[in-house]
Amino acid sequence: MTDFTTRPEILGTFGVFTSTHWIASAVGMSILEKGGNAFDAAVAAGFVLQVVEPHLCGPGGDMPAVIYSKKKDKVEVICAQGPAPAGATIEHYTAEGLTLIPGDGLLSTVIPGAFDGWMLMLRDYGTMSVREVLEPAIYYAEHGHPVLERVSNTIKGLAPFFEKEWPTSYATWLPGGAAPEPLSNFRNPVLAETWKRIIAEAEAKSGREEQVEAARDAFYRGFVAEAIDTYLQDAEVMDASGSRHKGVLTADDMANWRATIEAPQTYDYHDWTIAKTPAWGQGPVLLQSLALLKGFDIGAMDPTGPDFVHTVVEAMKLAFADREVYYGDPEFAQVPTEYLLSDNYNNDRRKLIGAEASHELRPGKVPGYDHQHDLTLAMLSEMSGTGTVYEPTMSHLSEKRGDTVHIDVIDRWGNMVSTTPSGGWLQSSPIVPGLGFALNSRAQMFWLKPGLPTSLAPGKRPRTTLTPSLALHEGRPTLAFGTPGGDQQDQWQLPFFLRYVHHKSNLQAAIDMPLFHTSHFPGSFYPRTSSPGEIMVESNIGTEVLDELRRRGHKVTVADPWTVGRLTAARRDKDGLLRAAATPRLMQAYAIGR
C-alpha cells in the first residue's frame, strides 16, 4: 500500500511544472502545451509570480537559476543578482548615520537584476517571443487576480505607513483608500502598461533575439531606467532606520550591467552531484552540510526522529558559521570554497558534532584567512553587545517581511530549470511612479564594516540567500528543487534531499514530512538577529521528538503543523518519466504535469 501524502506525486512524460502559486504553475504548463520549452515556461511564470505574489517578488528584484540545457548538455547558473550601485560606499552610508543597512527604503537598493536574467534565459535557451512570455502577466495585472490573504494582511498592516511615508505605494496597493480584501480581484494597470510598452519597443525590431535585446534595452537603457533615475534624484523616504534617506542608484548603474551565465558550484554526495550557485549566494552551505553529513549513516536514522534532526541541525550550524566568515562575491574576494568542501577539512569539522546542541558560532579556520576569521567574529561580538545581532526573534516569519518564490520545470526534451526569484517586494521600497513596481532591498545583506567578503562596495554582488538546486544522479540531470525562505532555504532543502535520497520516498512524501530549521547564526536580513541554539520544528513531528531535542540542549520553538517551508520539486527518470510535487503548506503551491 502506498503511504498517504497530502497530494499525489504528479507523473507524466510530456512536461511537469511546479511553483509556489497555482496560477503561475498553470501558466507555466500552458506554455509547455503551446510548444514552448522549460525556459519559456519559467520566464512566463516568473513574470506572473511578480503579479500574484507581490509581497514575495517583483520586477525590481533578483533571480538566480540553476539550469540544464539538453541542447548544450550542460548545467549552468544564470546570475541575475544585481550588484551595488557606484554610489554605494561604506563612507556614504556611515555618513548617513547608519551602522546597518536598512531592510527597506532607497539606500537598500541594488541594480534590479530579475528582468535581465529572464530575458537572458529567453534569448539563449528559450524559443518564444517577448510578447508570448509577457502576455500572461499582463493579463493578470490588467484584468486582476485573487489576492492572497497574506498579501491583503501585509498591505493592511502597512497602510498607515504607506499613507504617511510612501504615497506612491499607497496609491498602488490601496486604490480608493482601501486595502484589497482576501481573494478579491486586484489589478495593477500601471504595471501592465509598463510591460506593454516594453513589448512595443521590442517589436519595433525584427527577429526574436533582436526583440529580446530591445526589451533589455528598454528596461536598462530606456524608459524604465529613466523613470527610476528621475524618481531617485529627488525622492527621500523613511526606512527601517527611523530616518529618511535618498537612494544612490542611477540610470548609469543600470545601463552598464548585464546578467551573466556561470559555472555552478558542485559537490558529490554518494551517487548524486548537487549543483548550486557559487558563493555570491548561500548555495554552498547545502554542499558544506552534505560534506559534513557524508560521515554519518543518515540512511539508518529515522527521517523524522531526534537523531536525524539533531545531526542535520548541528551540521548546518557549522556550515552557516563558515558562510558568515568566508562567503561573498568571488569577483571581489578570494572564497576558499574548495577547501571548505574538502574531505580533510570536513573530517575535522565533523568531530564538533556531538550529543549536545551547540550554542556557539563556530566557523572553521582556513589557512591564510586568520585575519578575516577574527575580524568577522570581532564584528559579530561587537554587534552582540548592542543587542542588534544576538537578539532572539522569529521576525523572519512575520507577514511584513518579504520572502521569495520558487519554480521547478522539466519539459519533454529533458530541459530543466530551478529558479528562486525574489526582491522588489511591495514592502521593500516605494512604487516608482509610472512603472507600477518597487525596487529591491538586497543591499541590506552587506556589512558596513570594511575588510570582509560581504562589506559594501560599488559593483559587488550582495551575498544573497537565494539558492535553487539541481541534482544529477549518476551524472544524469535528474532533480530540480527549491524553496523560498531567506536563510531557511537551504535548511529546508537539506532534509528534503536527505529524506529523498536515503529513504526512497516519493517527492511528495519527502516534502510532506515535518520540517525544521535553526536561527542560531546571524540572519541575512535587517536587523541581522540570531538566536543561539534555537530551532523551530513543526509540532507534528511528535512530542517525544520535541522533548528529546530539548534534552539535548536545543531551544525548541514549536511551529503549528504545515507552517514551515514551501518546497517544490521535479524529477526526470532515466526512462523519461517525469515527476513533480509541491508543498501543501500555505495552500497555494501547485504541481502540474501530464
Side-chain angles (χ1 to χ4, degrees):
M1 181 178 175
T2 303
D3 289 337
F4 174 81
T5 55
T6 58
R7 302 168 176 189
E9 182 185 53
I10 300 299
L11 301 172
T13 55
F14 175 80
V16 287
F17 196 104
T18 180
S19 82
T20 50
H21 196 290
W22 69 90
I23 289 178
S25 295
V27 165
M29 194 67 201
S30 75
I31 295 293
L32 296 181
E33 296 284 4
K34 292 172 183 173
N37 64 19
F39 308 107
D40 299 315
V43 174
F47 282 108
V48 167
L49 286 169
Q50 295 171 4
V51 178
V52 299
E53 295 198 278
H55 61 318
L56 306 180
C57 70
D62 29 42
M63 184 278 285
V66 187
I67 63 173
Y68 170 71
S69 164
K70 183 70 174 176
K71 182 178 180 181
K72 295 175 72 172
D73 192 22
K74 195 174 184 182
V75 176
E76 294 172 305
V77 168
I78 294 178
C79 176
Q81 175 53 66
T89 64
I90 290 176
E91 293 74 20
H92 176 74
Y93 282 56
T94 54
E96 294 281 315
L98 299 172
T99 56
L100 286 174
I101 298 176
D104 59 11
L106 300 178
L107 273 179
S108 61
T109 294
V110 300
I111 297 169
F115 188 87
D116 207 59
W118 289 127
M119 290 297 105
L120 178 62
M121 182 183 291
L122 181 66
R123 186 195 71 183
D124 289 4
Y125 303 93
T127 65
M128 288 187 160
S129 68
V130 174
R131 174 180 291 277
E132 287 172 306
V133 296
L134 276 177
E135 277 189 331
I138 292 171
Y139 174 87
Y140 289 108
E142 193 167 43
H143 296 280
H145 61 92
V147 175
L148 295 170
E149 183 179 4
R150 284 166 185 81
V151 176
S152 174
N153 291 343
T154 299
I155 294 170
K156 287 177 180 177
L158 290 168
F161 177 80
F162 281 174
E163 185 173 22
K164 182 182 178 184
E165 304 291 351
W166 296 1
T168 55
S169 293
Y170 188 82
T172 298
W173 302 115
L174 293 95
E181 291 299 319
L183 304 183
S184 64
N185 199 37
F186 184 80
R187 299 172 178 84
N188 187 345
V190 178
L191 178 59
E193 290 304 314
T194 297
W195 281 330
K196 286 181 181 179
R197 183 170 172 185
I198 286 175
I199 290 174
E201 297 203 10
E203 291 182 343
K205 304 286 185 180
S206 58
R208 193 187 76 89
E209 292 186 11
E210 289 76 13
Q211 289 185 0
V212 173
E213 284 304 299
R216 296 172 84 180
D217 285 341
F219 195 99
Y220 289 91
R221 289 158 286 278
F223 78 96
V224 173
E226 289 169 6
I228 292 170
D229 187 89
T230 298
Y231 173 62
L232 292 182
Q233 282 180 20
D234 298 318
E236 188 171 8
V237 306
M238 181 64 71
D239 57 41
S241 71
S243 300
R244 292 178 177 83
H245 294 106
K246 294 185 70 172
V248 295
L249 180 68
T250 68
D252 283 344
D253 292 315
M254 294 183 63
N256 294 316
W257 178 82
R258 286 181 178 270
T260 54
I261 298 169
E262 304 181 1
Q265 183 66 53
T266 62
Y267 184 76
D268 294 334
Y269 180 80
H270 296 280
D271 51 359
W272 291 81
T273 300
I274 303 87
K276 302 287 285 185
T277 67
W280 49 261
Q282 75 174 4
V285 158
L286 188 140
L287 308 182
Q288 280 196 251
S289 299
L290 291 172
L292 289 163
L293 293 169
K294 194 162 65 171
F296 294 91
D297 190 355
I298 299 294
M301 298 179 185
D302 177 349
T304 60
D307 287 347
F308 179 85
V309 177
H310 172 80
T311 305
V312 170
V313 164
E314 293 305 299
M316 291 192 299
K317 288 177 182 177
L318 295 174
F320 274 95
D322 282 351
R323 181 192 76 165
E324 293 310 301
V325 173
Y326 299 111
Y327 290 20
D329 187 343
E331 293 185 9
F332 283 75
Q334 291 288 326
V335 183
T337 312
E338 298 307 319
Y339 189 91
L340 296 173
L341 293 174
S342 67
D343 286 343
N344 286 341
Y345 179 73
N346 286 285
N347 290 341
D348 285 338
R349 294 281 278 164
R350 195 175 298 118
K351 297 170 186 174
L352 295 174
I353 301 176
E356 296 290 317
S358 169
H359 289 224
E360 299 176 65
L361 191 70
R362 300 182 291 180
K365 290 284 188 79
V366 176
Y369 289 78
D370 291 347
H371 176 70
Q372 186 171 304
H373 175 279
D374 295 345
L375 186 63
T376 303
L377 290 186
M379 178 192 68
L380 295 177
S381 176
E382 181 182 322
M383 300 297 290
S384 173
T386 67
T388 304
V389 173
Y390 278 78
E391 173 190 336
T393 177
M394 298 308 287
S395 62
H396 61 276
L397 298 177
S398 75
E399 290 180 340
K400 292 184 182 179
R401 168 62 57 84
D403 197 353
T404 309
V405 299
H406 187 78
I407 291 169
D408 296 304
V409 55
I410 307 176
D411 62 28
R412 62 188 185 272
W413 301 287
N415 297 303
M416 304 173 68
V417 178
S418 175
T419 180
T420 313
S422 186
W425 315 307
L426 69 86
Q427 60 273 46
S428 63
S429 66
I431 290 287
V432 179
L435 295 182
F437 66 83
L439 297 170
N440 60 78
S441 53
R442 192 63 63 182
Q444 66 184 291
M445 296 181 173
F446 288 114
W447 292 109
L448 294 178
K449 178 88 171 178
L452 304 173
T454 47
S455 300
L456 178 67
K460 182 188 283 188
R461 289 170 287 186
R463 192 216 65 219
T464 177
T465 53
L466 307 174
T467 175
S469 299
L470 197 151
L472 300 87
H473 184 243
E474 297 177 344
R476 180 180 54 81
T478 301
L479 184 65
F481 60 102
T483 177
D487 293 302
Q488 287 75 47
Q489 288 178 32
D490 282 314
Q491 298 195 64
W492 296 333
Q493 292 181 63
L494 180 61
F496 158 76
F497 182 72
L498 293 169
R499 288 161 169 171
Y500 187 69
V501 166
H502 290 288
H503 300 96
K504 310 305 179 189
S505 54
N506 72 32
L507 290 175
Q508 191 64 50
I511 284 174
D512 284 353
M513 289 186 196
L515 280 169
F516 54 88
H517 63 262
T518 178
S519 50
H520 174 80
F521 48 85
S524 298
F525 296 87
Y526 180 90
R528 312 302 290 267
T529 54
S530 76
S531 306
E534 182 165 351
I535 58 173
M536 176 171 275
V537 190
E538 288 182 309
S539 63
N540 47 324
I541 205 165
T543 54
E544 290 184 8
V545 175
L546 296 171
D547 289 343
E548 175 59 19
L549 292 169
R550 291 189 183 100
R551 193 192 67 77
R552 297 188 189 193
H554 296 279
K555 296 178 182 177
V556 179
T557 296
V558 180
D560 291 337
W562 311 109
T563 59
V564 172
R566 296 178 66 202
L567 287 156
T568 68
R571 172 180 172 133
R572 186 174 193 271
D573 289 354
K574 197 171 185 178
D575 62 0
L577 185 68
L578 304 177
R579 306 168 184 264
T583 182
R585 295 163 176 90
L586 305 189
M587 296 190 294
Q588 63 193 60
Y590 220 80
I592 303 178
R594 70 168 179 85

